[in-house]
Amino acid sequence: MSQQLSEPSQHYVDGEWIDGDGAETFESTNPATGESLGEFQRGTDADVDRALAAADDAFEEWSGLSYTDRAEYLWDIYHELKERHEELGGIVSKECGKEISEGKADVNEAWDMVEWAAADARHPHGDVVPSEIAGKDAYMRRQPRGVIGCITPWNFPVAIPFWHMAVSLVEGNTVVWKPAEQTPWCGQVIAEMFAETGIPDGVFNMVQGYGDAGEAIVDDDRVQTVLFTGSAEVGHEISGKVGGEAGKLAACEMGGKNGIVITDEADMETAVHSAVMSSFKTTGQRCVSSERIIVHEDIYDEFKEQFVDIAEDVAVGDPLDENTFMGPLIEDEHKEKVTGYNELAYDEDVDVLVDRTELDESEIPEGHEDGVWIGPFVYEADPDADLRVTHEEVFGPHVALMPYSGDIEKAVEIHNDTEYGLAGAIISENYHEINYFRDNAEIGLAYGNLPCIGAEIQLPFGGVKKSGNGYPSAREIIEAVTERTAWTLNNAEGIQMAQGLSADITTKDD
Ligand code: NDP
């Protein structure tokens, strides 16, 4: 595949590359340069309908294969992802602006997920449990749900689609996937990989496009489970819609307003390093990025000085350059949003410590003048103040330093004071404090003496409160894409019931 697409790329439906119904196309743009990376068909309701019909038709045969036969196609993809690591990592970095080690890590996380799903085909499925009646077998079997609709965001354009699709497929479901409008090239490459495996027609389908194509997937009755990863706004809309439909499920993972607690017993180097990684890696555009750093007053001045020094200097630039720490934001519209929050911080009267909203011209690499550049924005905020900037997800390098006095209880109270509950970290050398945080922080992903970013797919990945509603990710996804049948089989003579329920049938003559 070339490094730039020349023809409008197509949808992949029912084992074929198709133009689709709409005359409209859209462009993928490199956010570091403003260059066009290619043109893509914009999916319509009719394209989604065709993909869903294909997935529905393919389900019976696909679900009838053995787990290991289904996994074979995924093993091909696993090897392909490894073989094309450099190339695909570069495409990720070009298309979504992530620094190159992050682009490659995205591909690595994808093959980790594929490996987990394919290997799971040889692991026990379901449960055998003791029955309270001797002579009865009691066990739980899993069965695929049917057609799974997958809707993914741009910021992990290779890993997240495989979070959704790898387990879904090995479990015997068929899928219709809509990649994010900002990263269709990554979508195209993934579809090419599926096509090359020779997976039966209709099992994997991809429709490129915008939110309206996603909506058409969500609204269709043939979809049994909607898997969504993206913003809270869209995720809650989807959960609300699907929740009202009998038999249909939605598992949605959404944003966060993640915090790091740094106590007076923290190792300063670990604290500063973790906070910088959490706040600025991926230019703050990870769902787990930290926008709230809650620091004990006794070490606050020392922490602030070191953190601010790095925020002033951190390298923003070409994502393909290994010396870059922060690439661009994803698009101009998003820069407007982040800039708006930086301005709101002034309006809300916080003390701004670093403002690199507009970078100096000398900082922008040659040939990248049209990139969507922004640097860190750091401010000091009263943790007890009711501010929008410290409570709403910005999804950019916009960070509040919040000094606290008192004990770990107070720090965790501040930490929990948000509607979100995705990720958080504690930096402390005191295990009592770590354990208190572990037991009381309202989050799905918790880190100790580490940045609050990073995931291993063999753990669950998901949030609580406004951040999560089911797990369309990592190993827990199995619950969203399978039905459980509780089987009880009588091997004895006569019928005996549990809980002392009488099995006697009495008649009028008794
Ligand atoms: P969006 O919610 O804007 O988009 C996510 C996907 O949903 C895109 O494919 C989008 O299409 C599609 N979509 C938009 N509107 C609808 C609709 N009405 N019905 C169905 N689908 C729709 O999120 P972003 O792509 O901007 O991603 C950033 C967000 O994702 C952040 O909030 C981040 O925190 C969160 N996120 C959460 C993760 C988690 O695991 N908790 C992981 C990664 C990101 P389109 O192509 O038009 O954008």
Side-chain angles (χ1 to χ4, degrees), residues 151-152 154-155 178 181 211 228 230-231 253-255 287 393 461:
I151 302 169
T152 54
W154 65 266
N155 65 340
K178 191 201 82 66
E181 81 196 54
F228 169 85
S231 63
E253 265 310 317
M254 295 157 281
C287 53
E393 185 192 35
F461 188 96

Side-chain angles (χ1 to χ4, degrees), residues 151-156 160 163 178-182 209-211 214-215 218 228-232 234 237-238 253-256 286-287 393 395 422 461:
I151 302 169
T152 54
W154 65 266
N155 65 340
F156 287 83
I160 291 179
W163 285 2
K178 191 201 82 66
E181 81 196 54
Q182 297 88 346
Y210 285 54
E215 231 176 315
V218 172
F228 169 85
T229 306
S231 63
V234 177
E237 187 190 314
I238 291 174
E253 265 310 317
M254 295 157 281
R286 285 179 177 237
C287 53
E393 185 192 35
F395 205 53
L422 188 57
F461 188 96

Side-chain angles (χ1 to χ4, degrees), residues 230-244:
S231 63
E233 193 191 355
V234 177
H236 287 291
E237 187 190 314
I238 291 174
S239 303
K241 270 189 194 173
V242 171

Side-chain angles (χ1 to χ4, degrees), residues 62 70-71 74 77 110-118 150 159-173 175 194 227 477 481:
W62 179 247
R70 291 192 295 254
L74 274 295
I77 297 223
W111 82 58
D112 288 347
M113 190 70 233
V114 172
E115 179 188 44
W116 191 91
C150 305
I160 291 179
F162 283 108
W163 285 2
H164 286 199
M165 295 190 294
V167 174
S168 299
L169 290 168
V170 173
E171 288 296 329
N173 303 282
V175 302
F194 272 106
L227 302 175
I477 196 173
V481 300

Side-chain angles (χ1 to χ4, degrees), residues 356-398:
R356 293 174 70 195
T357 308
E358 293 306 329
L359 294 184
D360 193 82
E361 261 177 40
S362 62
E363 292 184 80
I364 297 170
E366 213 184 311
H368 291 72
E369 293 73 13
D370 293 331
V372 191
W373 300 111
I374 200 164
F377 184 86
V378 183
Y379 58 99
E380 190 168 276
D382 174 357
D384 295 321
D386 185 18
L387 305 174
R388 282 184 57 200
V389 279
T390 52
H391 290 88
E392 295 175 14
E393 185 192 35
V394 177
F395 205 53
H398 167 108

Side-chain angles (χ1 to χ4, degrees), residues 459-483:
L459 278 166
F461 188 96
V464 300
K465 292 158 76 178
K466 197 176 165 184
S467 295
N469 194 352
Y471 283 78
S473 45
R475 66 164 209 208
E476 297 299 303
I477 196 173
I478 197 165
E479 303 301 335
V481 300
T482 57
E483 301 286 13

